[in-house]
């Protein structure tokens, strides 16, 4: 396997981003519990999630899209085990909101497998 493949680099980048987010979260937690050596980063869970996801946007701003994508997978999962254009067109009609802006979050939730 070539380590220079795009998906591999993206995985490494995501791993590093998540490590940094958790390190910041730990630093903030130590400060919040009274450490005199830990820095106050003025962040909360939303900030940690945003850093880990590589976005400046909070989860709550896209919760409707995540819920919709997850529910769509439950409803359409057998008929459409993989995302495709036909499913995309159907979901576009059903979604209440800006589908184009939320599509990536809907797709992520649809493909999520716990």
């Amino acid at each position: 396997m070539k380590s220079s493949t795009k998906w591999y680099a993206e995985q490494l980048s995501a791993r590093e981003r998540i490590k940094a987010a958790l390190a910041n979260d730990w630093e903030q937690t130590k400060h919040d519990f009274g450490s005199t050596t830990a820095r106050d980063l003025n962040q909360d869970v939303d900030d940690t999630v945003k850093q880990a996801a590589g976005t400046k946007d909070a989860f709550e701003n896209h919760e409707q899209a995540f819920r919709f994508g997850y529910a769509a997978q439950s409803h359409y999962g057998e008929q459409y085990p993989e995302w495709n254009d036909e499913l995309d067109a159907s979901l576009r009609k059903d979604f209440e909101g800006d589908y184009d802006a939320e599509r990536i979050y809907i797709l992520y939730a649809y493909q999520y497998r716990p």
Side-chain angles (χ1 to χ4, degrees):
M1 174 176 68
K2 291 173 33 178
S3 62
S4 60
T5 61
K6 182 179 178 183
W7 64 265
Y8 184 72
E10 288 171 355
Q11 282 295 96
L12 289 178
S13 175
R15 182 178 180 277
E16 294 305 314
R17 194 175 57 242
I18 292 167
K19 276 178 45 179
L22 293 176
N24 287 343
D25 187 61
W26 179 239
E27 186 75 9
Q28 184 66 52
T29 300
K30 290 188 298 185
H31 176 272
D32 292 348
F33 278 92
S35 172
T36 57
T37 59
R39 296 172 294 142
D40 182 2
L41 301 174
N42 193 27
Q43 78 173 41
D44 58 19
V45 173
D46 282 354
D47 298 310
T48 302
V49 172
K50 288 186 287 188
Q51 291 166 11
T55 180
K56 295 179 182 175
D57 213 352
F59 169 81
E60 291 86 20
N61 295 342
H62 304 287
E63 186 173 356
Q64 175 191 8
F66 285 119
R67 288 180 185 273
F68 181 80
Y70 189 80
Q73 203 286 325
S74 295
H75 182 75
Y76 290 111
E78 284 188 33
Q79 184 179 359
Y80 300 107
E82 300 296 325
W83 187 274
N84 61 39
D85 291 339
E86 189 176 327
L87 172 64
D88 190 61
S90 181
L91 296 179
R92 178 180 295 278
K93 286 187 266 181
D94 294 340
F95 187 70
E96 296 177 8
D98 185 349
Y99 185 82
D100 291 325
E102 302 293 336
R103 184 179 179 276
I104 188 72
Y105 305 105
I106 296 167
L107 170 62
Y108 178 84
Y110 188 87
Q111 294 176 333
Y112 176 76
R113 303 292 188 272

